[in-house]
Each structure stands twice: as structure tokens, then as C-alpha cells.
Amino acid sequence: MARTTKKKTEAPKVDIGAEIFASLRDLEQLKGISVDYMVERLKQALTNAYKKDREDHRDIPAENVVVDLNEKGLAMHLVKTAVEDVEDTALEIQIDAARRINPNVQLGDTVNIPVDIQKFGRIAAQTAKQVVIQGIREAERGVVYESYSNKAQELLTGTVLRVDPEGDVFIRVGQGNEQSDAVLHTSEQIPGESYAPGDLIRVYVLGVRNASHGPLVRVSRTHPNLVRRLFELETPEIADGQVEVRNIAREAGSRSKMAVHAIQEGVDPLGACVGPRGGRVSAVVDELHGEKIDIVVWSEDPCEYVKAALSPADVISVTEISGAKACRVIVPDDQLSLAIGKEGQNARLAARLTGYKIDIKPASQAEELTQAE
């Protein structure tokens, strides 16, 4: 194994270390890119520049090109092994020449040979510049990716950039260094909504993925949690934890049901969400372009919960069916269609909200059911 001797000849330093680090600290404050990350990219850029500048254009192993960059200055040296007969001039040095650099060197030792950075040509300098620029871009993308990864399940406001022929909508979200593109796929759009460049829309963040041009945020207008986040925005009692949203069932663009529960004693969860003169719920409905929203009070009692979930229909009684997570509901005859809803929507949403299968019967059949049982 080769012995490494302490180098006796220092590589000529370029007195730009302090200036570089001052610029890197500014970059860190402006764009959130760490100084350590950019130092490594600069070292890589200078290594590539050295390889590009070599007359033989040899692909020197990275460990044989050492860049020393700190606030005291910038220097570089090439690591070669001292040998009797040189076979590879890129990686080896004849022992007599090595001893002119370090008199104590022995065969098999490594020698640090100074490199004059100032002699790099125009092409090499351009290579270094491109690598650094690319490093900054990658770091910026990484910062944005991390930022939006942390924003998953949050509500964002974006500006429509364009609508592609297949119907996907591309949106610009965020500001300043955290600005990014988001895509609202057709499957995540509320049926009947249309979008035009320049429109401001609120979206729910599903997640983020790395694309060729940078992070791409996936957003939704149909997710049930969009309703949750909108109510958090409009209702201080939800935002500060006095009222809890227990569950939401939604058919986007048509109707949603939301169950709420008061955490703090004395707070009316229903009144808090509806707001003075219905202003809070109206603001959410307007944002969803007229989607109807039923707000019900959650209950530990499944029968009471199911009864509330079938609002706005009146309910005579709710009975749990033994051995199954299901309920039989009796309603006045004139309330049957309202309880079931158009195309079964009201009953379907109530079942999804409560987690119970709901069998709705009119009062006129209640006696027959009792006799049959």
C-alpha cells in the first residue's frame, strides 16, 4: 500500500476565498442554498475544469485532483505516486522529480503536485461556470421540492398559466424563491368548472414530484379535504382547535356533508361553521361555485349521528341492526324522497360520512317491519 508523505510544496493560492464565501453566504440567505453544498459544487467545477484543460484530456480519478477552498484562498494539487519507471504520466511521477518537490519521498509514496489555477483556459473556465450554474439550479429545485413536500395537504392559491388540449390546468403557486408550477389534472377538477389564464383558484396540495424542468406540485379541487381547509380558513373556531371536523363526504361540484364536534365546552360547532348570517358557509360555497354543503353535529351515538347525517330530511327513528355496521331508518312518508335524495345522493353521502350502511323505510312500512321481525 502506498505511503502518503506530508507535502513540502504548497500549491499557489488564489486570494479569492473570502470573496467566494461572502457571495455564497448571500446566496444562502437569498435562495436557501447551503454554503457547504455550493462549496462542493465549486470543487467539482474546478476539478472538471482541470480535466478539460489537460492536453491529454485524461479522465483523472476524482481522488487524484484535490481542491482546497476556504476563506483563506483557493488552491489545487494533483496527487501522483512516486515510481522508478513512469508508465502513466497522469498518475505517476519519477522518484527523482518527486524528491525535488519533497526530499523525503520514497518509492510508492504519494506526492501533491501544485496546479496553477490561473492558467486555466477559456473553455475550462466556462465549464466551471456551467457546473456552478447547474448546481445552483439543482439546489433551488431541491429547496422548492422540500418546501412543497412540507405543504402536502395544505391549501394554496394559484394563478392559472394555461390549459392544455387534454384539459389539464397548469398553475403557478407560491411566491419568490418558493414559486413553482402545479398541475390540476382533469380527474381532480370539479365537474362543470372552467379555467382561463390569469384566473386565481384555491387548490389542495396532494404532493410533489421532481420533473425535468423542476418540482411539479400535484393539486386537487375535488378532494374532501379542500372543504376542510376552506372551513379552517373561514372559521376561527376550527383554526384554533375549539371545533373539530370529524369527517367529510363529498361529491365534488354537487354536494358535501361535513360532521363537526365541539372540543371546547359551550361552543356551538354548527353555528361556528355557518357563521353570522350564514357568511362563513356562504364563502365556502362561493369558492366551490355553488356546491351544496350540509353541516351536521357528530355524535358518539351511531343512531344520533346517522339521524343528523340524513339532514335535511326529518327522521322518526334509527335502529342499529345487530351483527352488522348498519342502521334501519324510519322517516315520514313525505320525507322518503328527501332522505334518499336525487339518485340516492343524500343517503349515499350520509352512509359515507358515518361509515354505516343505511336502510331507509317510510313510516307506512314501519308496522309491517315490526310484525315481520
Side-chain angles (χ1 to χ4, degrees):
M1 181 179 293
R3 289 189 296 116
T4 302
T5 62
K6 186 176 181 180
K7 66 180 180 180
K8 297 297 182 180
T9 303
E10 296 290 339
K13 287 198 173 186
V14 181
D15 189 20
I16 58 174
E19 182 181 346
I20 287 177
F21 275 83
S23 298
L24 294 183
R25 280 191 289 269
D26 289 342
L27 188 64
E28 185 174 44
Q29 290 183 352
L30 289 171
K31 296 184 177 294
I33 303 170
S34 74
V35 170
D36 290 342
Y37 174 85
M38 284 310 304
V39 166
E40 289 305 311
R41 292 309 301 235
L42 280 166
K43 287 182 177 180
Q44 180 184 342
L46 290 166
T47 301
N48 290 346
Y50 171 77
K51 294 178 181 180
K52 187 83 173 180
D53 198 59
R54 286 180 60 86
E55 292 182 1
D56 59 6
H57 299 295
R58 277 289 303 277
D59 186 17
I60 306 296
E63 61 268 22
N64 286 81
V65 182
V66 179
V67 178
D68 180 19
L69 175 62
N70 54 52
E71 298 203 41
K72 295 180 180 179
L74 170 65
M76 178 186 292
H77 62 261
L78 182 63
V79 180
K80 291 188 178 185
T81 302
V83 296
E84 189 69 51
D85 298 311
V86 176
E87 295 181 0
D88 187 344
T89 57
L91 301 177
E92 296 173 342
I93 184 172
Q94 206 278 331
I95 184 66
D96 293 336
R99 284 173 177 161
R100 286 194 289 271
I101 298 172
N102 181 357
N104 298 322
V105 73
Q106 302 295 321
L107 286 172
D109 288 344
T110 57
V111 182
N112 296 336
I113 302 171
V115 175
D116 190 351
I117 300 174
Q118 292 178 325
K119 291 183 179 179
F120 283 172
R122 180 184 59 82
I123 295 177
Q126 185 64 26
T127 300
K129 180 180 177 181
Q130 289 173 352
V131 172
V132 172
I133 291 173
Q134 182 64 25
I136 292 173
R137 288 174 180 167
E138 290 176 5
E140 287 177 333
R141 291 173 182 176
V143 169
V144 173
Y145 179 85
E146 185 67 25
S147 173
Y148 282 97
S149 294
N150 294 332
K151 285 184 172 66
Q153 303 180 17
E154 295 299 323
L155 185 70
L156 293 179
T157 299
T159 303
V160 175
L161 298 177
R162 62 184 176 87
V163 181
D164 75 9
E166 296 181 357
D168 290 342
V169 179
F170 290 87
I171 304 164
R172 179 63 49 81
V173 294
Q175 295 180 344
N177 296 328
E178 293 190 356
Q179 196 173 76
S180 185
D181 289 345
V183 59
L184 180 65
H185 292 298
T186 53
S187 60
E188 299 294 340
Q189 296 171 22
I190 295 176
E193 280 192 345
S194 60
Y195 312 94
D199 287 351
L200 288 175
I201 59 173
R202 284 195 173 119
V203 291
Y204 177 78
V205 180
L206 298 173
V208 59
R209 65 179 176 85
N210 276 318
S212 58
H213 62 282
L216 186 64
V217 184
R218 296 181 297 109
V219 296
S220 175
R221 290 272 295 167
T222 61
H223 199 285
N225 279 343
L226 175 66
V227 176
R228 183 191 302 270
R229 296 294 181 239
L230 288 171
F231 270 102
E232 287 177 357
L233 194 65
E234 297 292 338
T235 310
E237 291 85 348
I238 295 178
D240 63 20
Q242 296 181 54
V243 173
E244 178 186 23
V245 177
R246 295 301 298 257
N247 199 15
I248 297 172
R250 186 182 184 202
E251 294 186 359
S254 179
R255 193 182 200 110
S256 289
K257 285 183 181 286
M258 182 174 76
V260 294
H261 171 65
I263 300 298
Q264 184 171 316
E265 189 175 351
V267 175
D268 175 14
L270 187 60
C273 294
V274 172
R277 295 181 297 278
R280 293 172 180 173
V281 69
S282 293
V284 177
V285 170
D286 290 344
E287 174 62 35
L288 300 177
H289 297 167
E291 182 175 315
K292 295 179 181 178
I293 300 176
D294 299 330
I295 305 172
V296 304
V297 177
W298 176 85
S299 174
E300 290 183 351
D301 183 341
C303 294
E304 288 298 317
Y305 189 20
V306 168
K307 181 178 180 180
L310 285 170
S311 172
D314 294 329
V315 174
I316 296 173
S317 66
V318 179
T319 306
E320 280 193 80
I321 298 175
S322 179
K325 195 172 183 180
C327 290
R328 177 171 295 128
V329 177
I330 305 299
V331 299
D333 286 31
D334 62 355
Q335 294 285 300
L336 181 62
S337 61
L338 185 60
I340 295 173
K342 185 179 180 181
E343 298 178 348
Q345 184 185 65
N346 195 58
R348 184 168 59 249
L349 286 173
R352 284 165 51 189
L353 186 72
T354 61
Y356 276 75
K357 184 178 179 181
I358 301 174
D359 180 25
I360 303 175
K361 299 295 183 183
S364 59
Q365 295 182 15
E367 187 174 344
E368 296 177 19
L369 290 169
T370 301
Q371 291 175 352
E373 293 173 352

